[in-house]
Amino acid sequence: MMTTPDAPAPLVRPRPARTALLISGLTIGVVITALVSVGSGQLSISPLEVLSILLGSVGIDLGIVTEHPNAEAALWTIRLPRVVMSLVIGAALAVAGMLMQAIFGNPLAEPGVVGVSSGAALGACSAIVFGLSFFGEWTTAVLAFGAGLITTLVVYVFSRSRGKTEVVTLILTGIAVNAFCGAGLAFLTFIGDTAAREQIVFWQLGSLNGSRWVQVAVVVPCVLIGVAASFVLVRRLDLLALGEKSARHLGVNVEALRIVAIVLVALLVGAAVAFAGIIGFVGLVVPHLMRMIIGPAHLPLLVTSTLGGALLLMLADLFARTAITYADLPIGMLTSLVGGPFFFWLLRRTRKRSGGWA
């Protein structure tokens, strides 16, 4: 449950049994989905064969021989990097959404909705069109992080008034930021060559096709740092949910907390967008579902959102690869098909609870 900054949140009973059950279910779901996803595609590999190949790499022999001679090569060079990317990026987007909802004190805050993903994509596409490479493999990720950070700060400054974030102001700010970044992407598309245009279209649709280990090596450290740092903030975020005045009385430096959280959001979204493009609504849907099941305490919410985001994006990627034979659907399109109606439902629910737009 989200509250205005100066309105103390009602006491919520902890739900340890439900939380443990949910974490266990999500963990099992992530493992099973990863095994199935790695083995699914034009070259089918059974889950036991996948397990045998993976354990064989660390010296554990299950005695299972793969039926196809190219199965192991396909798994290590094509399937596994893509599945790892979907797992890591899903977790990053879900955690970024949870952090944004906590610092804005608004359930509608989400990187895609308020334009942070578009801003990060603008930075990433600038690296492509202008051929920038001053940070080597990290150049695209660094520019995505920088643009995402600037966008998050702009949204934060313009959407907050008198210590709170109004729903209408937040959405209108998101529309304006998305429109501006959309215009920037259109300009880059106009001046770019054919190859750059194709890559920009890829960024706008969102896809994990072509993921490589070198990209995984860039994304994973950024997401690990972002998620680990978020664990340090959860206690302060719980106090912030009591209201700004209460949090300050309890020793929380509210503005410093928000700035740190904004930097973490930019890091997580920048890492995700740099190599997968704009994938919307994961940060909106997952934290909300978890909050509805286990309540608003941020530590269990962070753990379950991390697992839930990873599971959701792996399932979406699996569907994108297998729904149509010899076709790879844009994953951003699929998440928007699910997230759009969910956002509309959440919008009406928020309006009904507020008795109108605050």
Side-chain angles (χ1 to χ4, degrees):
M1 181 180 296
M2 312 303 294
T3 64
T4 57
D6 295 327
L11 292 175
V12 179
R13 293 181 179 177
R15 303 167 179 173
R18 186 179 296 187
T19 301
L21 189 63
L22 180 60
I23 291 174
S24 302
L26 288 172
T27 303
I28 294 170
V30 167
V31 173
I32 293 175
T33 305
L35 290 175
V36 173
S37 185
V38 168
S40 300
Q42 295 180 25
L43 174 61
S44 180
I45 310 172
S46 72
L48 283 178
E49 288 177 320
V50 171
L51 199 59
S52 175
I53 294 172
L54 294 178
L55 292 179
S57 66
V58 293
I60 301 175
D61 186 8
L62 296 183
I64 300 173
V65 180
T66 54
E67 295 182 0
H68 198 284
N70 295 325
E72 186 168 348
L75 186 146
W76 284 112
T77 58
I78 300 174
R79 302 273 178 80
L80 205 52
R82 179 165 181 161
V83 171
V84 173
M85 283 288 271
S86 66
L87 187 152
V88 175
I89 289 175
L93 292 174
V95 172
M98 189 215 75
L99 288 174
M100 289 196 74
Q101 290 159 22
I103 60 174
F104 281 88
N106 194 302
L108 299 176
E110 195 267 346
V113 174
V114 302
V116 177
S117 296
S118 298
L122 184 60
C125 291
S126 299
I128 296 169
V129 173
F130 298 115
L132 305 177
S133 59
F134 37 76
F135 291 117
E137 289 286 345
W138 289 78
T139 303
T140 305
V142 169
L143 288 180
F145 165 72
L149 178 61
I150 294 172
T151 309
T152 312
L153 288 171
V154 168
V155 172
Y156 176 74
V157 170
F158 284 97
S159 64
R160 289 184 63 78
S161 176
R162 299 178 181 177
K164 66 178 182 179
T165 306
E166 297 174 346
V167 173
V168 173
T169 307
L170 179 65
I171 293 174
L172 291 179
T173 304
I175 291 173
V177 171
N178 273 317
F180 180 82
C181 294
L185 289 171
F187 176 72
L188 292 175
T189 305
F190 177 74
I191 65 174
D193 55 23
T194 303
R197 289 174 183 168
E198 289 178 355
Q199 283 189 278
I200 291 175
V201 171
F202 159 81
W203 249 267
Q204 291 175 312
L205 294 175
S207 175
L208 295 168
N209 189 19
S211 297
R212 296 175 290 129
W213 283 117
V214 66
Q215 297 171 341
V216 174
V218 174
V219 174
V220 168
C222 296
V223 175
L224 285 178
I225 292 171
V227 174
S230 300
F231 276 98
V232 179
L233 301 183
V234 290
R235 175 61 180 162
R236 295 181 180 88
L237 294 177
D238 283 338
L239 296 177
L240 181 62
L242 299 173
E244 284 191 19
K245 288 182 179 178
S246 300
R248 286 196 176 95
H249 286 310
L250 293 169
V252 178
N253 186 334
V254 173
E255 290 309 316
L257 173 62
R258 286 198 167 112
I259 294 299
V260 172
I262 285 172
V263 172
L264 293 180
V265 168
L267 177 65
L268 292 166
V269 176
V273 169
F275 300 107
I278 300 173
I279 299 175
F281 295 106
V282 176
L284 179 74
V285 173
V286 174
H288 263 287
L289 290 178
M290 300 303 120
R291 194 178 290 113
M292 289 169 64
I293 297 171
I294 62 172
H298 284 91
L299 179 56
L301 190 59
L302 176 59
V303 175
T304 54
S305 293
T306 304
L307 292 169
L311 179 60
L312 176 64
L313 207 60
M314 279 199 296
L315 288 172
D317 181 56
L318 178 61
F319 183 81
R321 289 190 289 117
T322 58
I324 301 176
T325 306
Y326 301 115
D328 200 327
L329 299 175
I331 196 169
M333 177 193 74
L334 297 177
T335 57
S336 296
L337 281 174
V338 176
F342 185 85
F343 179 73
F344 182 67
W345 169 79
L346 188 60
L347 202 62
R348 290 183 60 84
R349 181 170 176 261
T350 304
R351 183 179 186 275
K352 185 178 180 181
R353 288 190 170 186
S354 303
W357 296 123

